[in-house]
Amino acid sequence: VHSFTMLSRFGASRFASKLSPVIRSQSRTFAGQKPFHIDTPENNLEVHFDFTLENYDRVKYIMAKYPNNYKQAAMIPLLDLAQRQHGGWLPLTAMHKVAAICEGATVRVYEVASFYTMFNRNPVGKYFIQLCGTTPCMICGSEDIKQTIEKHLGIKNGE
């Protein structure tokens, strides 16, 4: 039993040492996005964002669903509304607007927007294709599907 444990430890450490460069080189990114904000000409604190009058009616409707002490629960639907209004992505100032409406810290809004893949924090094209890259999906052939899409459309990941 002792030699088996030692072999398992050796095998595990050998396996981990082969994976560690891969793991270290990958950060948790979705759609090629970094988990933090970098100012760009189209996405910085100087770029104006405000909801339209029509969307402010929707904001009121969304906020009415939650008690006053749970305003932050409206964060996801408000981020979705802001993203739809802004052409499919969330500028930094839209996240600040949502934080102000929800009376929460901007960092909480950043956390939500960076966690959920449904939120794009950078401009996207007219057509935005997402493909699951989790381990279960990879086992079921998502990498083959990705290669087929890239070949058929003549594009690569992130284009």
Side-chain angles (χ1 to χ4, degrees):
V1 174
H2 187 64
S3 62
F4 177 76
T5 304
M6 210 157 138
L7 179 61
S8 296
R9 285 185 188 156
F10 173 74
S13 66
R14 197 168 140 206
F15 179 72
S17 68
K18 287 183 179 180
L19 283 182
S20 61
V22 174
I23 293 169
R24 266 190 257 123
S25 69
Q26 295 177 343
S27 63
R28 187 173 158 244
T29 62
F30 300 103
Q33 295 186 27
K34 299 289 183 208
F36 52 84
H37 175 74
I38 298 173
D39 277 349
T40 62
E42 68 273 352
N43 192 9
N44 60 63
L45 288 175
E46 302 300 318
V47 175
H48 177 72
F49 177 86
D50 201 359
F51 286 108
T52 63
L53 292 177
E54 181 181 332
N55 278 343
Y56 265 119
D57 290 339
R58 290 183 175 129
V59 167
K60 289 177 190 171
Y61 176 77
I62 291 167
M63 294 303 290
K65 294 179 179 184
Y66 303 97
N68 283 337
N69 58 334
Y70 287 102
K71 288 181 180 180
Q72 291 183 23
M75 197 176 298
I76 291 176
L78 291 178
L79 284 170
D80 180 57
L81 181 64
Q83 180 169 280
R84 289 173 190 265
Q85 177 181 310
H86 200 74
W89 68 282
L90 282 170
L92 189 62
T93 49
M95 291 186 269
H96 283 235
K97 177 62 76 176
V98 169
I101 291 169
C102 292
E103 297 177 8
T106 54
V107 70
R108 298 291 176 232
V109 179
Y110 300 159
E111 289 171 348
V112 170
S114 64
F115 179 77
Y116 291 101
T117 58
M118 65 191 256
F119 296 121
N120 304 306
R121 294 176 298 123
N122 293 312
V124 294
K126 182 177 179 182
Y127 302 103
F128 184 65
I129 301 170
Q130 286 184 304
L131 182 65
C132 180
T134 63
T135 302
C137 290
M138 289 176 131
I139 291 170
C140 292
S142 67
E143 195 59 36
D144 294 336
I145 294 170
K146 178 180 148 189
Q147 289 173 359
T148 302
I149 291 170
E150 288 177 347
K151 183 179 176 185
H152 181 74
L153 298 177
I155 59 173
K156 295 288 179 193
N157 189 27
E159 295 181 345

